[in-house]
């Protein structure tokens, strides 16, 4: 039975779109490309997804852009919001400790 976690998250994001400059939703099936849950591997993963979504330049360009975004001052608000959807549905990715350690914040 679906509990609506994805819809609740998307609703929260839609209500706050003006506060979220960049939003990336990553379905769990794409998380298999994630080589680990360190800050470096997550940033590399995001750079690769940005390259795929834009089909512009290369992943290294997006890695540099992402690094620049993450230098944004905290009082300016979030630079990027990433939602890893279905984390509990995709077993091969080692999510334990991600949200509390490696992912928040990426700076």
């Amino acid at each position: 039975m679906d509990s609506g976690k994805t819809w609740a998250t998307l609703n929260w994001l839609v209500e706050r779109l003006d506060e979220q400059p960049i939003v990336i939703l990553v379905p769990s099936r794409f998380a298999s490309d994630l080589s680990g849950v360190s800050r470096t591997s997550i940033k590399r993963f995001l750079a690769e997804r940005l390259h795929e979504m834009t089909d512009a330049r290369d992943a290294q360009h997006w890695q540099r852009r992402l690094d620049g975004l993450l230098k944004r001052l905290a009082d300016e608000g979030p630079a990027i919001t990433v939602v890893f959807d279905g984390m509990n549905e995709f077993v091969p990715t080692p999510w334990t400790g991600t949200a509390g350690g490696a992912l928040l914040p990426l700076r």
Side-chain angles (χ1 to χ4, degrees), residues 37-48:
V37 291
S38 69
R39 287 179 179 89
T40 301
S41 62
I42 291 170
K43 287 194 278 186
R44 184 179 310 118
F45 173 83
L46 293 175
E48 290 167 358

Side-chain angles (χ1 to χ4, degrees), residues 21-51:
I22 299 171
V23 176
I24 299 176
L25 179 65
V26 181
S28 61
R29 69 179 177 271
F30 292 108
S32 64
D33 295 341
L34 196 55
S35 60
V37 291
S38 69
R39 287 179 179 89
T40 301
S41 62
I42 291 170
K43 287 194 278 186
R44 184 179 310 118
F45 173 83
L46 293 175
E48 290 167 358
R49 300 298 74 78
L50 287 165
H51 169 63

Side-chain angles (χ1 to χ4, degrees), residues 4-101:
K5 295 182 295 286
T6 299
W7 288 111
T9 302
L10 292 175
N11 184 58
W12 182 89
L13 284 168
V14 167
E15 290 175 355
R16 292 161 181 81
L17 273 180
D18 57 334
E19 302 167 21
Q20 313 295 323
I22 299 171
V23 176
I24 299 176
L25 179 65
V26 181
S28 61
R29 69 179 177 271
F30 292 108
S32 64
D33 295 341
L34 196 55
S35 60
V37 291
S38 69
R39 287 179 179 89
T40 301
S41 62
I42 291 170
K43 287 194 278 186
R44 184 179 310 118
F45 173 83
L46 293 175
E48 290 167 358
R49 300 298 74 78
L50 287 165
H51 169 63
E52 289 172 1
M53 290 187 307
T54 63
D55 197 30
R57 311 242 177 139
D58 57 21
Q60 291 77 22
H61 165 80
W62 290 105
Q63 175 77 42
R64 290 187 302 274
R65 291 288 307 266
L66 186 56
D67 287 339
L69 279 171
L70 295 174
K71 291 179 182 171
R72 180 178 169 149
L73 298 175
D75 62 351
E76 293 179 13
I80 185 169
T81 300
V82 182
V83 177
F84 287 94
D85 184 45
M87 289 171 55
N88 60 327
E89 299 168 10
F90 193 76
V91 179
T93 304
W95 292 115
T96 305
T98 300

